[in-house]
Amino acid sequence: MAHEKRRASLIKKHNLKGVNKPKRTPDHPTKSHMVLAQEGHTLKLIRFGQQGAETAGKPKPGESERMKKKRASFKARHRKNIAKGKMSGAYWANRVKW
């Protein structure tokens, strides 16, 4: 019961759509996105992504070789943290920004 109240209050406080639904944070000084991550009964507010960074985004047809390398470098550099799952910022950055 307390878990559900805490989840509802965090969703309302941060104006989120729900758990595990990332949101852009254009006014945050350093982080570009946030998400209320949930695994089981564990809740965690995660802010991730560098504000103003030019990420490679989703692969596009005819994408430049430079962007392919940029994406590959990010994924290689953060592989261990991405593998930690929903409760890590790297997982969400990988899903949303790369």
Side-chain angles (χ1 to χ4, degrees):
M1 190 62 120
H3 168 73
E4 292 169 10
K5 285 183 182 178
R6 181 169 177 259
R7 179 177 58 200
S9 72
L10 283 169
I11 288 171
K12 186 175 180 181
K13 177 182 177 183
H14 296 288
N15 199 20
L16 296 166
K17 300 267 187 228
V19 294
N20 298 332
K21 295 186 188 290
K23 176 188 175 188
R24 185 98 170 81
T25 55
D27 298 330
H28 195 273
T30 56
K31 299 300 180 184
S32 65
H33 290 76
M34 67 192 253
V35 65
L36 182 61
Q38 179 178 357
E39 267 188 345
H41 287 296
T42 307
L43 279 175
K44 186 176 179 183
L45 183 68
I46 300 172
R47 294 183 188 272
F48 63 93
Q50 182 182 347
Q51 192 68 272
E54 287 190 25
T55 58
K58 300 293 178 208
K60 296 166 184 69
E63 179 178 56
S64 73
E65 209 46 47
R66 182 178 150 267
M67 281 304 199
K68 285 179 186 172
K69 287 179 181 176
K70 193 173 179 179
R71 176 181 297 104
S73 292
F74 174 86
K75 290 177 184 282
R77 188 168 60 246
H78 297 286
R79 188 164 323 281
K80 285 183 178 178
N81 290 326
I82 291 168
K84 290 179 183 177
K86 290 180 184 176
M87 301 311 268
S88 77
Y91 171 86
W92 290 104
N94 181 50
R95 274 191 62 172
V96 176
K97 298 191 77 145
W98 294 93

